[in-house]
Amino acid sequence: MRTSAGTASTALLTDMYELTMIEAALRSGAATRRSVFEVFTRRMPARRRYGVVAGTARLLRALESFRFTPAEIDYLAQAKVVGDETLDFLREYRFRGSVLGYAEGECFFPGSPIVTVQGTFAEAVVLETLVLSILNHDSAVAAAASRMTTAAHGRPCLEMGARRTHEASAVAAARAAVVGGFAGTSVLEAGRSYGIRTIGTAAHSFTLVHDDEEAAFAAQVASLGPGTTLLVDTYDVERGVERAVAAAREAGGELGAVRLDSGDLVAQAFTVREQLDALGATSTKITVTSDLDEYAIAALNAAPVDSYGVGTKLVTGSGHPTAELVYKLVAREDSRGVMREVAKASTSKESVGGLKMAGRVLDGHAATELVVSCETEAAGRAELDRAGARPLQVELVRDGGQIVDEHVGDGALERAQERHLASRAELPYPAWRLSEGDPAIPTRHVDVFPDDDDPAVTI
Amino acid sequence: MRTSAGTASTALLTDMYELTMIEAALRSGAATRRSVFEVFTRRMPARRRYGVVAGTARLLRALESFRFTPAEIDYLAQAKVVGDETLDFLREYRFRGSVLGYAEGECFFPGSPIVTVQGTFAEAVVLETLVLSILNHDSAVAAAASRMTTAAHGRPCLEMGARRTHEASAVAAARAAVVGGFAGTSVLEAGRSYGIRTIGTAAHSFTLVHDDEEAAFAAQVASLGPGTTLLVDTYDVERGVERAVAAAREAGGELGAVRLDSGDLVAQAFTVREQLDALGATSTKITVTSDLDEYAIAALNAAPVDSYGVGTKLVTGSGHPTAELVYKLVAREDSRGVMREVAKASTSKESVGGLKMAGRVLDGHAATELVVSCETEAAGRAELDRAGARPLQVELVRDGGQIVDEHVGDGALERAQERHLASRAELPYPAWRLSEGDPAIPTRHVDVFPDDDDPAVTI
C-alpha cells in the first residue's frame, strides 16, 4: 500500500499499542526475552467445518516491507507516539526471528497453530496487527470460496466482487478465492499482481447506452467475437436470448454464452437452456451471477448452468468477513533464561500455552488434528512421528529473518490451490456439508513439556 | 495502493468488463455518448434506518490517480485484455466530466442519488468498480459507526479493529468510523494519513512476558505514566485492579483507567467501579473492549463505563460489510443528440431513470427524501426549491475534471463528522432505534422530465 507519505512501508499498518508495549518492555528489560507467539482460532464460525489458511505469501511480502523508514520515524516522533530510545530501536528494526506455519491452502481447525513467530518479545509483538489483518481477511475469503467450490461440484466459480469491498481488499480477495478453488477474477489488478486469469464481458449499462438490444449485442460481438458472453436480461429474457444467438450467427459463429443476472435463476436456467437448444445453440453456455452464495450455488446444481460468477458474498466471507484468528504469546524466557509456557486465564478466552507442533492423523481420511505443546520443535516433531501424523508446519521464515522463497515466488498461488484441494479431499464427508455442525475433525492437545517445567500459568 | 508493478495508479482496481465495454463502445460509436451514471441503493440493510455517505475524499483522491501509465498499458497489452485502439484511448484517459454528490457524512436513504457522474459513456463507465469499492466499504463502516455512537449516548467510541480486516481496509475503516462519530483509532497509518488521534496501551502478552502482573504494571506505568490504561483481566480481575491502582500510586499518581476485555462486562463494570471507588480511585476510568457492537454498547449504557473500544463488528460493518450501493446508467444521449432517461426493466432490479436532484424536506425534523428526475440540474433545483427542500448535492468534480478541494483538503474529515452529526440530529426519533423497521424517512420520486421526452424505457 502506498501511504499518504508516499512510502511503501507496511510498518504503520500497526496498532499503536504494539509500539507503546515495546517502549515499556525496552525499559523493563522484557523486550529482549525470547518469545513464541501463535496464530490460532478458538472456534470456527457457525456452519464452518474447516478453515483455510490464506494470505501467507502476502504476509511474507509485507514482512519484507516492514521497515520504519525516516518517513515513519518522523510521523511517530511528531505525533509523540513513543520516545527517542524506542525510535532508535524501530529505526534499526528488522525481523530476525523465525516463522513456522501451515502452508498456504492447508485446512485448519480450532486450536491449529497456523503461524508461530519466534523471536524477541519486541520483534515479535510488533507484527501482531499486520499478521492478523492479512490472515484474518484472506483466510475468511478462502474459507467462503472453498465452500462455494465444493457446492459447485466442479463447475467453474469466478470471482467478481471487487465493487463490494475495499479496493485493495478486492485484489487480496481475488487471490484468496483462487486458493479456495476459484478459476478467475474480474479485477485487473489481481491479474497483474498474481497472474490470475481475468474474466468479464458487459454490464446492463452497455445495453442501455445503445439504441436497442440488437445494436448493443452487434457491437459486443463485433468487438469480442461470437464466442463472447451476452447479458440477456436487460429487457425481456426470451427476446434477449433470441437476439443474442442471432447476433453471434450474423457474425458467423455460435454464441459462447448467455449471462443471467436477475430473477429466479433456477427456473430461468431451465427455460433458457430449452430455448437455446431449440434454436440449435446447443454449445452456448449459461453463466449466472446474481447474489450467489454457497447455498444458491447448491440449489443451482440441479439446473443446466455452466459457471457461477460470485461477488458480494465471496468478498465478504459469506457471513463471516473475518476468520477470528488471534495472535497470542504462548511461551517466553523467564528471568533465568528458561523458556516457560504462558497463557491468559481470564474468563471465556482461555488459551493453551507453549510452542506447539501440529500434525493430521489419517485413518483412511483425516481423523484428528494433533497439537503437541513442547519445549522444542524437535520434541514436538518426535511426538507427531510417534503418532503417525502428517506434519502440518513448514518453515516460512528461517531463523535470522530470511523468507523461504517457495512460499512467495512463482507458482506459489497455484501450489496453494492444489494443496487446498488435496487437504480438503482428505477430510471426512461431513466437511462438505453446508449445514450447522462441529468441525470436520476434532483437535487433540498433548503436552510433552518436561515434567519439571511447570507452566507459568495453568488453566 | 502500491501495486506489484510499483506504480501508484488506481486504474487497474477495475473490473475487466469496464475495458471490454469501452472497446466495444469505441467501435459502435456509443463511447462518446453523453451519459449520466448514478450511485444509489435499492434498499437499506436489515435494521438500518439510514445510510451514511463516507469515502468521498478517498474517492476523489483515487480519481486523481486513475491513470493508465505505461506499466498499466503494458499489462493490458501483454494480457490481451483489449486491442490497440482501446489502449490508445486509455493511455490518454483523464476524467473530464463532472461529479455531483451528497457531501461526505450526509445521511441517505433508498433511492438517494448519492453520487452522479456525468461524462461520455466511456469516461464514466470505467470508474464503476473504483467508485463502488470505495463508497460501499466506507459507507458500510460509517453506518455501523453511527449506530454505535448513537447507542453510546456521548461516551467516546474508539476504533481498534485493524486486525480483523484487510490491512488497507483497516486504515479506511478508521477514517469512516470518524465520519460516523468515533473519537480515535488504534491504527497508526490512519493517524499519519488522516490526522486521526491514535490510542492504545497494552495487550495481554505484555503482562504475560513479565514475571508477574506487578512487574508488568510497574513497567507500563514507568514508561507511560500513571495516567495510562492498565489491562486488568489477564489473571484475576479483582487482584488486577488492586495492583493497577497501587502501581500508579507508587509512581506518584492516580491511575488513568482500567481496561476490561473479557467476561460479563456489565457485571464487571459495576464491581470494578465499586472497587475503584472503595480504593479512593474515583477519577480512574473504565474502558471496555470485548466484541462490542451497537447492541452490547446499548446494554452497557446502564453500567459505569467511560469509553468503548470497538473492533471486529465496526470494521466488518456490524453484519453488513457492504453498503449495497450500485452504479447505474440512468440517462444518455440518443442518436439525435437528445438526452434520454434509461432504466433496466428486469425482474427484481428495477431502477428509476433520469438525472436526479435530491433534497430533504424538513418539517420540524426531516420528513421526506425528495428525488426529482429531471432533464437538467437547474430544472431539478427549481423543483426542490418549490418544495422547500434542503438541497443535498454538492459539486465534487467540476465539469472538465477538476476536483473541488473543499472535499479532500485539510479539515475535510472533521467537517464530514460534523455534517454527519448534524444530519443525523435532523432525523426523526425512529432513526436512532436499533430494532427492525423502515427507513427513518420515506423517499418520494417526482418526474419533471418534459412531457414530449418519454423515457427510453418505462418501468
Side-chain angles (χ1 to χ4, degrees):
Chain A
M1 161 163 163
R2 175 177 284 258
T3 64
S4 65
T7 80
S9 167
T10 54
L12 295 191
L13 300 171
T14 297
D15 285 333
M16 187 173 100
Y17 82 170
E18 320 289 5
L19 304 195
T20 57
M21 284 194 278
I22 290 179
E23 175 138 304
L26 284 169
R27 190 181 277 245
S28 73
T32 54
R33 286 189 169 186
R34 282 179 297 139
S35 296
V36 183
F37 281 85
E38 182 185 301
V39 176
F40 65 95
T41 184
R42 295 191 177 93
R43 71 196 79 81
M44 305 310 296
R47 293 167 182 257
R48 297 293 164 84
R49 308 305 181 93
Y50 58 90
V52 181
V53 176
T56 317
R58 292 210 312 115
L59 172 58
L60 296 177
R61 286 289 182 224
L63 191 56
E64 287 179 322
S65 310
F66 198 89
R67 298 278 184 278
F68 294 86
T69 75
E72 284 72 44
I73 296 294
D74 287 351
Y75 163 71
L76 295 172
Q78 160 261 311
K80 298 190 173 41
V81 172
V82 286
D84 289 345
E85 191 196 354
T86 308
L87 292 178
D88 288 344
F89 172 87
L90 296 175
R91 203 178 278 116
E92 299 303 317
Y93 179 84
R94 301 284 182 278
F95 179 72
R96 295 197 175 87
S98 69
V99 182
L100 276 182
Y102 282 35
E104 193 162 15
E106 188 60 77
C107 295
F108 69 88
F109 302 92
S112 296
I114 70 170
V115 169
T116 305
V117 177
Q118 301 185 69
T120 65
F121 176 75
E123 75 180 340
V125 76
V126 75
L127 300 178
E128 177 181 33
T129 313
L130 186 68
V131 167
L132 289 179
S133 290
I134 293 175
L135 296 179
N136 267 323
H137 174 268
D138 290 17
S139 298
V141 174
S146 179
R147 277 162 67 88
M148 292 167 181
T149 57
T150 299
H153 277 286
R155 289 177 179 169
C157 292
L158 304 162
E159 189 283 311
M160 35 183 73
R163 62 191 57 196
R164 298 302 178 91
T165 189
H166 182 280
E167 68 277 17
S169 311
V171 181
R175 187 181 181 284
V178 171
V179 174
F182 270 56
T185 178
S186 62
V187 66
L188 291 163
E189 190 59 63
R192 170 162 71 172
S193 292
Y194 303 119
I196 303 170
R197 181 165 76 94
T198 57
I199 48 92
T201 53
H204 294 105
S205 63
F206 182 79
T207 303
L208 292 169
V209 76
H210 287 89
D211 289 337
D212 51 41
E213 204 171 38
E214 283 92 338
F217 288 177
Q220 187 177 326
V221 169
S223 173
L224 300 174
T228 191
T229 300
L230 289 171
L231 177 60
V232 293
D233 67 349
T234 304
Y235 304 101
D236 173 79
V237 174
E238 191 179 343
R239 294 280 295 132
V241 169
E242 208 171 284
R243 289 170 182 149
V245 170
R249 288 180 180 164
E250 239 162 82
E254 200 66 287
L255 183 62
V258 295
R259 176 159 82 96
L260 300 172
D261 184 48
S262 55
D264 178 342
L265 297 174
V266 175
Q268 272 194 46
F270 279 104
T271 315
V272 168
R273 180 74 268 159
E274 207 170 306
Q275 188 187 355
L276 286 169
D277 291 347
L279 291 167
T282 52
S283 68
T284 301
K285 297 189 166 177
I286 298 177
T287 186
V288 295
T289 56
S290 181
D291 279 340
L292 298 183
D293 61 10
E294 59 268 49
Y295 307 103
I297 290 171
L300 280 158
N301 265 326
V305 168
D306 298 283
S307 63
Y308 301 104
V310 191
T312 309
K313 287 295 173 63
L314 175 66
V315 298
T316 59
S318 197
H320 300 289
T322 182
E324 296 191 46
L325 297 166
V326 295
Y327 184 90
K328 295 295 170 188
L329 181 70
V330 291
R332 50 87 182 152
E333 205 175 3
D334 68 11
S335 48
R336 293 169 302 149
V338 178
M339 288 303 284
R340 313 275 289 181
E341 295 178 88
V342 296
K344 182 180 158 212
S346 64
T347 326
S348 82
K349 286 192 177 174
E350 286 100 5
S351 45
V352 179
L355 168 68
K356 298 183 197 75
M357 298 302 289
R360 201 151 291 157
V361 180
L362 303 168
D363 177 18
H365 53 69
T368 308
E369 188 83 339
L370 181 61
V371 179
V372 181
S373 292
C374 46
E375 196 174 17
T376 64
E377 294 180 28
R381 283 211 187 83
E383 179 64 20
L384 294 177
D385 201 39
R386 211 192 52 71
R390 172 166 79 77
L392 291 163
Q393 288 142 304
V394 296
E395 195 172 43
L396 299 174
V397 177
R398 292 199 185 91
D399 196 24
Q402 200 204 331
I403 284 165
V404 179
D405 283 342
E406 183 193 340
H407 302 292
V408 289
D410 279 351
L413 178 57
E414 291 77 0
R415 285 193 295 277
Q417 187 186 66
E418 282 167 28
R419 189 180 295 117
H420 175 61
L421 299 179
S423 174
R424 186 174 76 183
E426 203 179 71
L427 298 180
Y429 173 71
W432 310 322
R433 289 203 186 132
L434 300 179
S435 55
E436 297 283 351
D438 292 328
I441 59 173
T443 302
R444 192 160 72 89
H445 280 281
V446 172
D447 192 330
V448 297
F449 241 80
D451 279 349
D452 58 336
D453 221 339
D454 283 328
V457 176
T458 313
I459 57 166
Chain B
M1 167 166 160
R2 177 178 282 262
T3 64
S4 65
T7 79
S9 166
T10 54
L12 294 190
L13 299 171
T14 297
D15 285 332
M16 186 172 101
Y17 82 170
E18 320 290 5
L19 305 195
T20 57
M21 283 193 279
I22 289 179
E23 174 138 305
L26 285 170
R27 191 182 278 246
S28 74
T32 55
R33 286 189 170 186
R34 282 180 297 138
S35 296
V36 183
F37 281 85
E38 181 186 302
V39 177
F40 65 96
T41 185
R42 295 190 178 93
R43 71 196 78 82
M44 306 308 295
R47 294 168 182 256
R48 296 293 165 82
R49 308 305 182 92
Y50 58 90
V52 181
V53 176
T56 316
R58 294 210 310 116
L59 171 59
L60 296 177
R61 286 289 183 225
L63 191 56
E64 288 180 320
S65 310
F66 198 89
R67 297 279 183 278
F68 294 86
T69 75
E72 283 72 46
I73 296 292
D74 286 352
Y75 164 71
L76 296 172
Q78 161 261 310
K80 296 190 174 42
V81 172
V82 286
D84 289 344
E85 192 197 352
T86 308
L87 293 177
D88 288 343
F89 172 87
L90 296 175
R91 201 178 280 115
E92 299 303 317
Y93 180 83
R94 301 284 182 279
F95 180 71
R96 295 200 175 83
S98 70
V99 182
L100 275 182
Y102 282 35
E104 193 163 13
E106 188 59 78
C107 295
F108 70 88
F109 302 92
S112 296
I114 69 169
V115 169
T116 305
V117 177
Q118 301 185 71
T120 65
F121 176 76
E123 75 180 340
V125 76
V126 74
L127 300 178
E128 178 182 34
T129 312
L130 186 68
V131 167
L132 290 178
S133 291
I134 293 175
L135 296 178
N136 268 323
H137 174 267
D138 290 17
S139 299
V141 173
S146 179
R147 276 163 67 88
M148 291 168 181
T149 57
T150 300
H153 278 286
R155 290 178 179 171
C157 294
L158 304 162
E159 188 283 311
M160 36 182 73
R163 61 192 58 196
R164 298 302 178 91
T165 188
H166 182 280
E167 67 278 17
S169 310
V171 181
R175 187 181 179 285
V178 171
V179 174
F182 270 56
T185 179
S186 62
V187 66
L188 291 164
E189 189 59 60
R192 171 163 70 172
S193 293
Y194 303 120
I196 303 171
R197 181 165 76 94
T198 57
I199 48 92
T201 53
H204 294 105
S205 64
F206 182 78
T207 303
L208 292 169
V209 76
H210 288 89
D211 289 338
D212 50 41
E213 203 171 39
E214 283 93 338
F217 287 176
Q220 188 176 326
V221 169
S223 173
L224 300 175
T228 190
T229 300
L230 289 171
L231 177 60
V232 293
D233 67 349
T234 304
Y235 304 103
D236 173 80
V237 174
E238 191 180 343
R239 294 280 295 131
V241 170
E242 207 171 286
R243 288 171 182 150
V245 170
R249 288 181 180 167
E250 239 162 84
E254 199 66 286
L255 183 63
V258 295
R259 175 159 80 98
L260 300 172
D261 184 48
S262 54
D264 178 342
L265 297 174
V266 175
Q268 273 194 47
F270 279 104
T271 316
V272 168
R273 179 74 268 158
E274 208 170 305
Q275 187 186 354
L276 286 169
D277 291 347
L279 291 168
T282 52
S283 67
T284 301
K285 297 189 165 176
I286 299 176
T287 186
V288 294
T289 56
S290 182
D291 279 339
L292 300 183
D293 61 10
E294 59 269 48
Y295 306 103
I297 290 171
L300 280 159
N301 265 326
V305 168
D306 298 283
S307 63
Y308 302 104
V310 191
T312 309
K313 286 294 173 62
L314 174 66
V315 299
T316 59
S318 198
H320 300 289
T322 182
E324 297 191 46
L325 297 166
V326 295
Y327 184 90
K328 295 294 170 189
L329 181 71
V330 291
R332 49 86 183 151
E333 205 175 3
D334 69 12
S335 48
R336 292 169 302 145
V338 177
M339 288 302 285
R340 313 276 287 181
E341 295 179 88
V342 296
K344 183 180 158 212
S346 64
T347 327
S348 81
K349 286 191 178 173
E350 285 99 7
S351 45
V352 179
L355 168 69
K356 298 183 196 75
M357 298 303 289
R360 200 152 291 157
V361 179
L362 302 167
D363 176 16
H365 54 70
T368 308
E369 188 83 340
L370 181 60
V371 179
V372 182
S373 292
C374 46
E375 196 175 17
T376 64
E377 294 180 28
R381 283 211 186 83
E383 178 64 20
L384 294 177
D385 201 40
R386 209 192 53 72
R390 172 166 78 79
L392 291 163
Q393 288 141 303
V394 296
E395 196 172 41
L396 299 174
V397 177
R398 291 199 186 89
D399 196 23
Q402 200 204 332
I403 284 165
V404 179
D405 284 341
E406 182 193 341
H407 303 292
V408 288
D410 278 353
L413 178 56
E414 291 77 0
R415 285 193 296 277
Q417 188 186 65
E418 283 166 28
R419 189 180 294 117
H420 175 61
L421 299 179
S423 174
R424 186 174 76 183
E426 201 178 73
L427 299 180
Y429 173 72
W432 311 322
R433 291 205 185 130
L434 301 179
S435 55
E436 295 285 350
D438 291 329
I441 60 174
T443 302
R444 192 160 72 89
H445 280 280
V446 171
D447 192 330
V448 297
F449 241 79
D451 280 349
D452 58 336
D453 221 339
D454 283 327
V457 177
T458 313
I459 57 166

